[in-house]
Amino acid sequence: MNFRTDLAIERQEYTEKETLDGVLSKTDTIDGVRVTTIEIINGQGEKLLGKPRGRYITLETDKLYKSSEVFSATSEVLCNELRKMLPENGTILVAGLGNEDITPDALGPKSMNLILATRHISSEFADSLGLGELRGVAGIVPGVLGKTGIETVEIIGGIVKKIEPSCVIVVDALASRSTARLGTTVQICDTGVAPGSGVGNRRKGISSETLGVPVIAIGVPTVVDALTMAADVFEKAGVDLPDMDFSEHRQMMVTPKEIDSLIDKAARLIAMGINTALQKNLTAEEIAEIVG
Amino acid sequence: MNFRTDLAIERQEYTEKETLDGVLSKTDTIDGVRVTTIEIINGQGEKLLGKPRGRYITLETDKLYKSSEVFSATSEVLCNELRKMLPENGTILVAGLGNEDITPDALGPKSMNLILATRHISSEFADSLGLGELRGVAGIVPGVLGKTGIETVEIIGGIVKKIEPSCVIVVDALASRSTARLGTTVQICDTGVAPGSGVGNRRKGISSETLGVPVIAIGVPTVVDALTMAADVFEKAGVDLPDMDFSEHRQMMVTPKEIDSLIDKAARLIAMGINTALQKNLTAEEIAEIVG
Amino acid sequence: MNFRTDLAIERQEYTEKETLDGVLSKTDTIDGVRVTTIEIINGQGEKLLGKPRGRYITLETDKLYKSSEVFSATSEVLCNELRKMLPENGTILVAGLGNEDITPDALGPKSMNLILATRHISSEFADSLGLGELRGVAGIVPGVLGKTGIETVEIIGGIVKKIEPSCVIVVDALASRSTARLGTTVQICDTGVAPGSGVGNRRKGISSETLGVPVIAIGVPTVVDALTMAADVFEKAGVDLPDMDFSEHRQMMVTPKEIDSLIDKAARLIAMGINTALQKNLTAEEIAEIVG
Amino acid sequence: MNFRTDLAIERQEYTEKETLDGVLSKTDTIDGVRVTTIEIINGQGEKLLGKPRGRYITLETDKLYKSSEVFSATSEVLCNELRKMLPENGTILVAGLGNEDITPDALGPKSMNLILATRHISSEFADSLGLGELRGVAGIVPGVLGKTGIETVEIIGGIVKKIEPSCVIVVDALASRSTARLGTTVQICDTGVAPGSGVGNRRKGISSETLGVPVIAIGVPTVVDALTMAADVFEKAGVDLPDMDFSEHRQMMVTPKEIDSLIDKAARLIAMGINTALQKNLTAEEIAEIVG
């Protein structure tokens, strides 16, 4: 494969097959949002899609930043899909991966900044504010290896040991094959983050194997590798990729011109989906007012 | 031409000719910086390069953000080239074009923020600070049409009428054909900014015709159009660009992963070049201390 | 007077008189917002309040950033008061004064970034988007003298000459006497901005005299001078301010700890008030969706 | 005591005594930097100064952001004082405390962003870059309780368990009594961070007791509590603080007008001091080039 993608749905599309051994797949449309569930159930499926077994749910919409209707419908579908995956009880740790100083990689940190952290709020205080019973939520922005000298999984792992959440949700910017997916697709999966994935190519995986608790990963594609884009155009043209030096292209990324507002909108969408999934006693409006 | 570029040197290269009617060209290397001067002297040259007659100076270096030696050498060459173009006397207005909220388009505003504005400093006050005689410098960040509702040239024109500078310097982020030029090339020209140029496709030109005073433009390529990159790869491969729908690609831009630090470095380089060119009594270190 | 304030209402309160010669005053409460209109009608009133004759409307609310009800009610009152002052026809120029790099002085630039600029949108294009007839609105962030070398009034004046608006609205952060007013008060006046006012002490006035068109100023107090705060405490304590060196305090400002979110909320409030006052065919929700 | 301060030197000054039981103190001037070492050696000293036993070193200079000479001299003194405190071997973890979104509280995060993280760089790779032997350095920005739901000490503690540093350096913005100290004073101590200290009033202490490894704290005063400032003026005036409601003042902070550039300069100073103290094979210039 000449292209890079973090999306299970793009790997499935690439096979150009209706059915795959070891892969279950179905698509619904809910409130205008196309919801595709891909389930990899055995080693054969893992090999075919190059991803660990588990559930990968893809939401496809119009551009997230185009209208409030699309935004609301997508965040509600995200909330419902998340609720199906989350454990009934226990504290949830939300980790916003990525580099705040690189616009398309800032999705994780920006999302985490909009998460309603509640773990430190006593139930008495919550009651006194009229918030009722709150689910315990903690959050962390672990930074990136180049700036911290510590693998992201080590930082999250250290905190998991301390606060013992029942589940970790990681939010990360993704790379996709197709520019049409930038800002129009959300992927939720229960397998965590694979090594080498994300805009910054996280070096180590973040999963239930490495953390010891279930890990749900939520991501939005924000970049296409420049080499992937070129390869994609060649493939669509039915022409072989020429044998030339692409080393310069490997340092480049393709983003929409409105990447800054795309990141803001996607972060708000993800945070809203997580916040409403976690706090069943609060409405989206009540949460929006608290997180500002 | 299937590609978009704001660089005269790339248009010249595209012709693949040693000499062009109406175009004078020479290249020197100064302190490791490759300096190419292209002079378009008549309508024939204008037609061949698709640019108005005037001088286009291109500085080519290693990545601006790699070492302080490259940085110092380039800013000194920039200073010297600028001094050759600037009028001897009179106030200079520096305009930082572009959209602060789009990282690769923020070069102009970031550069202008590092310009030493002096027009409002009385010579008595400058003397009392031990700064000696200062050349009058003013600066403006005019914003972009989509946010102001006013063409950039109108805003600058209004200020030119008020403060009557002897010359305007505009700083703008550029589009180039080749990804290898991003953050390694500086273009200085005495023809101003052409309509349709820049990352944001400025709608109207900014030139001595529209402003009534000489206009020097300084730019650094910060993006390649996604379609241009694809066309470039096809051309290098000797394959015709396929007849397919590229409308999605037209909304995309290609930038280096380190675009944020590239913009910071390039802005410091340009500001340093301008500041030292304008204030002959101050050293680069003295200016750096004042602008912070 | 030992304290500094940009609010007419604080100067009136300071006199501790029910009625003042040359000053008309009344207070209403609309949707929980206290609306005080002070009208200075002659030179006697100007002298007593130290402000030019004209209308000063003060909105007093709970903290702007506390609840969406307070926010909506205040922005609606602001919209209505603005409509009474605005000319029926013609383009409106909105100028966001202040220094973006100093948090409490960034109110103007942040507000202007949320203004719906429409002057460049043809009525055909607006129609095609289903926006109906739009009032022409332009915006500018003129920057501050120390960075531009140009007085704010010169920059706005140059643009006024070019685009000939029927009215200018300037938005500026204000200094108040009382810390209780920070983020709870909005002042609207038809006299523009006085010399020496604002967080950054604008050097020259911005008014119909200097611009040649009506000038409406909207501001929110975001700082108290440190010396003013000390003087205020002494006065409340009934003790004379001691005769000591306050030069260090003059460089200091008092702000709420949540100043960053206060500025964001106040900017949104002002932009919403202006946008809805100007675009009578659009609802607040429709405008919010466009400006993002 | 009617005022709040995180500085040992201000508590000592407050006693107005030359010598204190259980407190050793001396002052030197090095390259224009006043260096005061206060050592609290027993419980009596702890009680008198309200701080745990240990060493508190205070550097006093002209404004950090005024000249490059002051900057260089102060960072060199800081480097030397740090070297005396640091363990000879082992990885160092640098934690940048505080809230990035509140300007005067962002000192820690901004400093940490300029730390040269090396723990993940293999000695082979460092060699290949000509960097020689690097000391292992890791960094973390733990965020604030209100946003993470996790006490800062828990986050750092979790990472300490994972990476087992020989020492933790925490960087934090401090509150001082006197406005004259803002941006002119640096405190280094070997006792960590006390509960209730910092701009944001960290709820729990961060020390060798809570982390199990030595903790060095470096801070710069960036705010004065509004109530402290008022009390300070009253005290200097020899007047008793009146018995009035100060609840509004408790939410307010006093900062210099140039707080944004103060924070930037102080962060660069602290990062430079730490980086040069840790990497003995690299010069300040070499480090500056790497961290950008």
Side-chain angles (χ1 to χ4, degrees):
Chain A
M1 228 188 301
N2 267 315
F3 60 81
R4 191 181 155 228
T5 178
D6 295 323
L7 297 176
I9 199 170
E10 288 194 333
R11 291 182 172 266
Q12 189 186 41
E13 286 167 0
Y14 184 72
T15 65
E16 295 185 345
K17 295 211 177 123
E18 283 288 301
T19 59
L20 292 167
D21 268 7
V23 179
L24 307 178
S25 170
K26 65 165 180 168
T27 298
D28 295 311
T29 298
I30 307 171
D31 283 342
V33 181
R34 214 167 148 252
V35 182
T36 302
T37 305
I38 295 172
E39 199 157 359
I40 301 178
I41 57 175
N42 60 27
Q44 176 72 356
E46 289 186 327
K47 222 169 131 184
L48 286 167
L49 296 194
K51 294 207 153 260
R53 68 193 76 185
R55 291 166 69 83
Y56 301 83
I57 296 159
T58 308
L59 316 186
E60 292 170 281
T61 68
D62 279 347
K63 292 202 192 302
L64 300 176
Y65 38 91
K66 274 291 160 60
S67 90
S68 56
E69 278 82 26
V70 172
F71 186 90
S72 301
T74 315
S75 96
E76 214 174 302
V77 173
L78 173 55
C79 167
N80 290 330
E81 295 298 330
L82 264 176
R83 282 194 181 159
K84 292 181 206 161
M85 285 188 179
L86 284 165
E88 201 62 39
N89 298 301
T91 295
I92 303 297
L93 173 63
V94 180
L97 310 192
N99 188 339
E100 288 175 86
D101 295 340
I102 296 180
T103 307
D105 200 21
L107 178 69
K110 291 214 169 187
S111 300
M112 153 46 201
N113 270 324
L114 297 167
I115 291 297
L116 179 58
T118 58
R119 180 176 166 267
H120 60 303
I121 301 176
S122 68
S123 52
E124 291 78 26
F125 187 62
D127 261 354
S128 78
L129 295 174
L131 296 175
E133 208 177 330
L134 294 172
R135 181 162 194 174
V137 178
I140 185 75
V141 173
V144 291
L145 181 61
K147 288 170 121 187
T148 64
I150 318 174
E151 289 281 353
T152 302
V153 69
E154 290 180 292
I155 294 176
I156 301 176
I159 295 164
V160 164
K161 277 253 169 75
K162 281 276 170 187
I163 72 171
E164 300 185 337
S166 64
C167 177
V168 172
I169 300 174
V170 293
V171 181
D172 201 4
L174 305 178
S176 68
R177 173 190 184 179
S178 161
T179 55
R181 289 201 173 281
L182 304 180
T184 64
T185 298
V186 182
Q187 178 175 274
I188 315 153
C189 72
D190 62 5
T191 62
V193 168
S197 75
V199 172
N201 289 317
R202 325 261 162 261
R203 227 162 54 165
K204 289 193 177 170
I206 301 165
S207 64
S208 61
E209 283 83 56
T210 52
L211 291 182
V213 293
V215 179
I216 297 170
I218 306 176
V220 167
T222 64
V223 300
V224 174
D225 273 9
L227 180 52
T228 295
M229 193 201 78
D232 190 52
V233 174
F234 272 83
E235 194 169 303
K236 282 184 182 145
V239 181
D240 283 350
L241 196 65
D243 183 27
M244 52 182 275
D245 179 13
F246 285 112
S247 55
E248 187 68 41
H249 296 85
R250 281 178 202 284
Q251 309 306 317
M252 301 287 150
M253 58 190 180
V254 182
T255 59
K257 288 187 179 160
E258 68 279 15
I259 180 71
D260 296 73
S261 71
L262 183 160
I263 294 291
D264 284 347
K265 274 283 166 70
R268 272 200 268 159
L269 177 87
I270 291 174
M272 181 59 73
I274 295 175
N275 285 330
T276 48
L278 291 172
Q279 305 302 344
K280 298 190 180 177
N281 294 331
L282 299 177
T283 64
E285 288 69 37
E286 287 168 326
I287 291 169
E289 198 149 304
I290 301 172
V291 297
Chain B
M1 229 188 299
N2 266 315
F3 60 80
R4 190 181 156 226
T5 178
D6 294 324
L7 297 176
I9 199 169
E10 288 194 333
R11 291 182 172 266
Q12 190 186 42
E13 285 167 0
Y14 184 72
T15 65
E16 295 185 345
K17 295 210 177 123
E18 283 288 301
T19 60
L20 292 167
D21 267 7
V23 178
L24 307 177
S25 169
K26 65 165 180 167
T27 298
D28 295 311
T29 299
I30 306 172
D31 284 342
V33 180
R34 215 168 147 251
V35 182
T36 301
T37 305
I38 295 172
E39 200 156 358
I40 301 178
I41 56 175
N42 59 27
Q44 176 71 356
E46 288 186 327
K47 224 168 132 185
L48 286 167
L49 295 194
K51 292 207 153 261
R53 68 193 75 184
R55 291 166 70 83
Y56 300 84
I57 296 159
T58 309
L59 316 185
E60 292 170 281
T61 70
D62 280 347
K63 291 200 193 303
L64 300 176
Y65 39 91
K66 273 292 161 58
S67 90
S68 55
E69 279 82 25
V70 172
F71 186 89
S72 301
T74 314
S75 97
E76 215 174 301
V77 173
L78 173 55
C79 167
N80 290 331
E81 294 298 330
L82 263 177
R83 281 194 181 160
K84 292 180 205 161
M85 285 188 178
L86 283 164
E88 201 62 39
N89 298 300
T91 295
I92 303 297
L93 173 64
V94 180
L97 310 192
N99 188 339
E100 289 175 86
D101 294 341
I102 295 180
T103 307
D105 201 22
L107 179 68
K110 291 215 169 187
S111 300
M112 154 46 201
N113 270 325
L114 297 167
I115 292 297
L116 179 58
T118 59
R119 179 177 167 268
H120 61 303
I121 301 177
S122 69
S123 52
E124 292 77 27
F125 187 62
D127 261 354
S128 77
L129 294 174
L131 296 176
E133 207 176 331
L134 293 173
R135 180 161 195 175
V137 178
I140 185 75
V141 173
V144 291
L145 180 62
K147 287 170 123 187
T148 63
I150 318 175
E151 289 281 352
T152 301
V153 69
E154 290 181 293
I155 294 176
I156 301 177
I159 295 164
V160 164
K161 277 254 170 74
K162 281 275 172 188
I163 72 170
E164 299 185 338
S166 63
C167 176
V168 172
I169 299 175
V170 293
V171 182
D172 201 5
L174 305 178
S176 68
R177 174 190 183 179
S178 161
T179 55
R181 290 202 172 280
L182 303 181
T184 64
T185 297
V186 182
Q187 177 175 275
I188 315 152
C189 72
D190 61 6
T191 61
V193 168
S197 75
V199 172
N201 290 316
R202 324 260 161 261
R203 229 163 50 165
K204 289 194 178 169
I206 301 165
S207 64
S208 61
E209 283 84 57
T210 52
L211 291 182
V213 293
V215 179
I216 297 171
I218 305 176
V220 167
T222 63
V223 300
V224 174
D225 272 10
L227 180 53
T228 296
M229 194 201 78
D232 191 51
V233 174
F234 272 83
E235 193 170 304
K236 282 183 182 145
V239 181
D240 284 349
L241 195 65
D243 183 27
M244 53 183 273
D245 178 14
F246 286 112
S247 56
E248 186 68 40
H249 295 86
R250 281 179 203 283
Q251 309 306 318
M252 301 287 150
M253 59 189 179
V254 182
T255 59
K257 287 187 180 160
E258 67 280 14
I259 180 71
D260 296 73
S261 71
L262 183 160
I263 294 291
D264 283 347
K265 274 282 167 70
R268 272 201 268 158
L269 177 88
I270 291 173
M272 182 58 74
I274 295 174
N275 284 330
T276 48
L278 292 173
Q279 305 302 344
K280 298 191 180 177
N281 294 331
L282 299 178
T283 64
E285 288 70 36
E286 288 169 325
I287 291 169
E289 200 149 301
I290 301 171
V291 297
Chain C
M1 229 188 300
N2 266 315
F3 60 81
R4 190 180 155 228
T5 178
D6 295 323
L7 297 176
I9 200 170
E10 288 193 333
R11 291 184 172 266
Q12 189 186 43
E13 285 167 2
Y14 185 72
T15 64
E16 294 184 345
K17 294 210 176 123
E18 284 286 303
T19 60
L20 292 166
D21 267 5
V23 179
L24 308 178
S25 170
K26 64 165 179 166
T27 297
D28 295 309
T29 299
I30 307 172
D31 282 342
V33 181
R34 213 167 149 254
V35 182
T36 302
T37 304
I38 295 172
E39 200 157 358
I40 301 179
I41 56 174
N42 60 26
Q44 177 71 355
E46 289 186 328
K47 223 169 131 184
L48 285 168
L49 295 194
K51 295 209 152 259
R53 68 192 77 183
R55 290 167 69 83
Y56 300 83
I57 297 160
T58 308
L59 316 186
E60 292 170 282
T61 68
D62 279 347
K63 291 203 193 302
L64 300 176
Y65 39 90
K66 274 290 161 61
S67 90
S68 55
E69 279 81 26
V70 172
F71 185 89
S72 300
T74 315
S75 96
E76 215 174 301
V77 172
L78 172 55
C79 167
N80 290 331
E81 294 298 331
L82 264 176
R83 282 194 180 158
K84 291 181 206 159
M85 284 190 179
L86 283 165
E88 200 61 39
N89 297 301
T91 295
I92 303 298
L93 173 64
V94 180
L97 310 192
N99 188 341
E100 288 175 86
D101 295 340
I102 296 179
T103 306
D105 200 22
L107 178 69
K110 290 214 171 190
S111 300
M112 153 48 200
N113 270 323
L114 297 168
I115 291 297
L116 179 58
T118 59
R119 179 176 167 270
H120 61 304
I121 301 176
S122 69
S123 52
E124 291 77 28
F125 187 61
D127 261 353
S128 78
L129 296 174
L131 296 175
E133 209 178 330
L134 294 172
R135 181 162 194 174
V137 178
I140 186 75
V141 173
V144 291
L145 181 62
K147 288 170 121 188
T148 64
I150 319 174
E151 289 281 353
T152 301
V153 69
E154 290 180 292
I155 294 176
I156 301 176
I159 295 164
V160 164
K161 276 255 169 74
K162 280 275 171 188
I163 72 170
E164 299 184 337
S166 63
C167 176
V168 173
I169 300 175
V170 293
V171 181
D172 202 4
L174 305 178
S176 69
R177 173 189 184 179
S178 161
T179 56
R181 289 202 173 278
L182 303 180
T184 64
T185 298
V186 182
Q187 178 175 275
I188 314 154
C189 72
D190 61 5
T191 61
V193 169
S197 74
V199 172
N201 289 318
R202 325 261 162 261
R203 228 164 50 166
K204 289 194 178 170
I206 301 165
S207 64
S208 61
E209 283 83 56
T210 53
L211 291 182
V213 293
V215 179
I216 297 170
I218 305 176
V220 167
T222 63
V223 301
V224 174
D225 273 8
L227 180 52
T228 295
M229 193 200 79
D232 190 52
V233 174
F234 272 83
E235 192 169 306
K236 283 183 182 144
V239 180
D240 283 349
L241 194 66
D243 184 26
M244 54 183 272
D245 179 13
F246 284 111
S247 56
E248 187 66 40
H249 295 86
R250 282 178 201 283
Q251 308 306 316
M252 301 287 151
M253 57 190 180
V254 182
T255 60
K257 287 187 179 160
E258 68 280 14
I259 180 71
D260 296 73
S261 70
L262 182 160
I263 293 291
D264 283 346
K265 274 282 167 69
R268 272 202 268 159
L269 177 87
I270 291 173
M272 182 58 74
I274 294 175
N275 284 329
T276 48
L278 291 173
Q279 305 302 343
K280 299 192 181 176
N281 294 330
L282 299 178
T283 64
E285 288 70 35
E286 287 169 326
I287 291 170
E289 199 150 302
I290 301 172
V291 297
Chain D
M1 228 188 300
N2 267 315
F3 61 82
R4 188 178 158 231
T5 178
D6 294 324
L7 297 175
I9 200 170
E10 288 193 332
R11 291 184 171 265
Q12 189 186 42
E13 285 167 1
Y14 184 72
T15 65
E16 294 185 345
K17 295 210 176 123
E18 283 287 303
T19 59
L20 292 167
D21 267 5
V23 178
L24 307 178
S25 171
K26 66 165 179 166
T27 298
D28 294 311
T29 298
I30 307 172
D31 283 342
V33 181
R34 212 165 150 253
V35 182
T36 301
T37 305
I38 296 171
E39 200 156 359
I40 301 178
I41 56 175
N42 60 26
Q44 177 71 358
E46 289 186 327
K47 224 169 130 185
L48 286 168
L49 295 195
K51 294 208 152 260
R53 68 191 77 183
R55 291 166 69 83
Y56 300 83
I57 297 159
T58 309
L59 316 185
E60 292 169 282
T61 69
D62 280 348
K63 291 202 193 302
L64 300 176
Y65 39 89
K66 273 292 160 60
S67 90
S68 56
E69 279 81 25
V70 172
F71 186 90
S72 300
T74 314
S75 96
E76 215 175 300
V77 172
L78 173 55
C79 167
N80 290 332
E81 295 298 330
L82 264 177
R83 281 194 181 159
K84 292 181 205 159
M85 284 188 180
L86 283 164
E88 201 61 39
N89 297 301
T91 295
I92 303 297
L93 174 63
V94 180
L97 310 192
N99 188 340
E100 290 175 85
D101 294 341
I102 295 179
T103 306
D105 200 22
L107 179 68
K110 290 215 170 190
S111 300
M112 152 48 200
N113 269 325
L114 297 168
I115 291 297
L116 179 58
T118 59
R119 178 176 168 270
H120 61 303
I121 301 177
S122 69
S123 52
E124 292 78 28
F125 186 61
D127 261 354
S128 77
L129 295 174
L131 297 175
E133 209 177 330
L134 294 172
R135 181 162 195 175
V137 177
I140 186 75
V141 173
V144 292
L145 180 62
K147 288 170 122 188
T148 64
I150 318 174
E151 289 281 353
T152 301
V153 70
E154 290 181 292
I155 294 176
I156 301 177
I159 296 164
V160 164
K161 275 254 168 75
K162 281 274 171 188
I163 73 170
E164 299 185 337
S166 63
C167 176
V168 173
I169 300 175
V170 293
V171 181
D172 202 5
L174 304 178
S176 69
R177 173 190 185 180
S178 160
T179 56
R181 289 201 173 279
L182 303 180
T184 65
T185 297
V186 182
Q187 177 174 275
I188 314 153
C189 72
D190 62 5
T191 61
V193 168
S197 75
V199 172
N201 289 317
R202 326 258 161 261
R203 227 162 54 163
K204 289 194 178 170
I206 301 165
S207 64
S208 62
E209 284 83 57
T210 52
L211 292 182
V213 294
V215 179
I216 297 171
I218 306 176
V220 167
T222 63
V223 300
V224 175
D225 272 10
L227 179 53
T228 295
M229 193 200 79
D232 191 51
V233 174
F234 272 83
E235 193 169 305
K236 282 184 183 145
V239 181
D240 284 349
L241 195 65
D243 184 27
M244 54 184 272
D245 178 14
F246 285 112
S247 56
E248 187 67 40
H249 296 85
R250 281 178 202 283
Q251 308 306 316
M252 300 287 151
M253 58 190 180
V254 182
T255 60
K257 287 187 178 160
E258 68 279 13
I259 180 71
D260 296 73
S261 71
L262 184 161
I263 293 290
D264 283 346
K265 273 283 166 69
R268 272 202 267 159
L269 177 87
I270 290 173
M272 182 59 73
I274 294 175
N275 284 330
T276 49
L278 291 173
Q279 304 302 343
K280 299 192 180 176
N281 293 331
L282 298 178
T283 64
E285 287 70 35
E286 287 169 326
I287 291 169
E289 199 149 302
I290 301 171
V291 297

